[in-house]
Amino acid sequence: MTLRVFVHVQHLLGIGHLKRTMLIARALGRAGHKVLLASGGTPVSVFEYDGFELVQLPSVRAADARFSGLVDRHGAAIDESFQTSRREALLRLFESFRPDVLMIETFPFGRRQLRFELVPLLESAANVCPRPLIVSSIRDVLQEKRDPERLREQVRLVREYFDRVMVHGDPSFLRLEESFRLAHEIDDRVTYTGYVCDEPARYRPSLDPKDRGQVLVSAGSGAVGQALLEAAMQAKAESRLGRRTWRILVGSTVSAEVLTDLARNAPAGVIVERARPDFPALLGACSVSISQGGYNTVTDVLRAKAKAVIVPFRGAGETEQALRAERLAARGLVTMVEEAELNGRRLAEAVDAASAGKGPSQAELNLDGASRSASLIESWSSERP
């Protein structure tokens, strides 16, 4: 049975949400299904959008790292007119596609600022005959919410609209209730898929000898990683791996001015360039990876079995990266450095420790989340009347 799958995703700061959703869309497309992915974030050219159709909605992004509001591609706060226009475009797209499955990334566990379009989208789906299967797609760790009313609202929306909740993680490592304390109230709809990674072949080390054995530094595509990149340049001279090439990859949403400044200040033996599509292969060939603790970077590290230093982002009350990094470090899979401790000397010490350690070579986590997500959607759809 060929399914028509409509997917909504919105990345606001980095591009991790888009990458994870894109990999699931690709897995569905390669399984023979027709997939339309509606992306509401800033366009990203570093990915290969094969196996599905990508439609770019009028883009919005977070105004700052505190997610204080939404702005358009020009940096202006979005107003009611913008919301109306984008909502109508999204609903027209959904109605013309006539899907068998609606998959929404993160909502209702986040993206509350998009209620202006996501609640109408859910209402439209709920009133279509035949009604599509409605699935929420979330990462392994949710941002902790302390407001009990907000938590109750999330449970209510799940029970009112969603048939299934796919958690893209491994319950033997992290369970949903560790970051969402009302998980027991939606337990009948929750299924773990395993972690979503690229296919193993993309992590094979480059055959180019100059790419092997490097220290690979990345900070995702958010605007919050510049301090990590600068600390890495300082750490090179103090690390036992200082004679090796250190390659610093700057995220696609970081400004050209910041990229130019980093390149200008780079010491000898440091390459500064934009993030590359072959990042998985570079990761597979590196001696040590230095990065933040976002979902996609961590899953890439695990899939590539790379020795790694993780500096989790804790700004603006963020808890997601820290919980994941702490759990990885406790298992000896990565070396963790606290953001508050970050400087060249501390990072150099961590690089040397990671280089001497075993790394994640023996990690026994489920990393087949993309194909498993596609299989689950097929199975759930076949069970429907």
Side-chain angles (χ1 to χ4, degrees), residues 199-209 211-218 244 247 249 276-290 297 299-308 360:
E199 51 265 31
R202 287 180 56 82
Y203 297 87
R204 290 174 186 153
S206 166
L207 296 178
D208 191 335
D211 290 338
R212 293 178 177 267
Q214 298 179 350
V215 175
L216 186 64
V217 187
S218 61
R244 300 184 182 229
R247 184 183 296 273
L249 300 179
R276 293 166 38 164
D278 64 344
F279 174 74
L282 292 173
L283 194 59
C286 76
S287 57
V288 173
S289 164
I290 303 172
T297 304
T299 56
D300 283 337
V301 163
L302 294 174
R303 177 71 93 183
K305 298 181 179 179
K307 297 178 179 180

Side-chain angles (χ1 to χ4, degrees), residues 11 23 44 47 89 92 137 167 201-202 234-235 247 313 316-317 334 340 343 345 348 380:
H11 60 285
L23 291 173
V44 177
F47 296 147
R92 285 195 302 270
S137 166
V167 181
R202 287 180 56 82
Q234 298 165 8
R247 184 183 296 273
F313 172 55
V334 304
N343 57 52
R345 179 177 294 278
W380 292 331

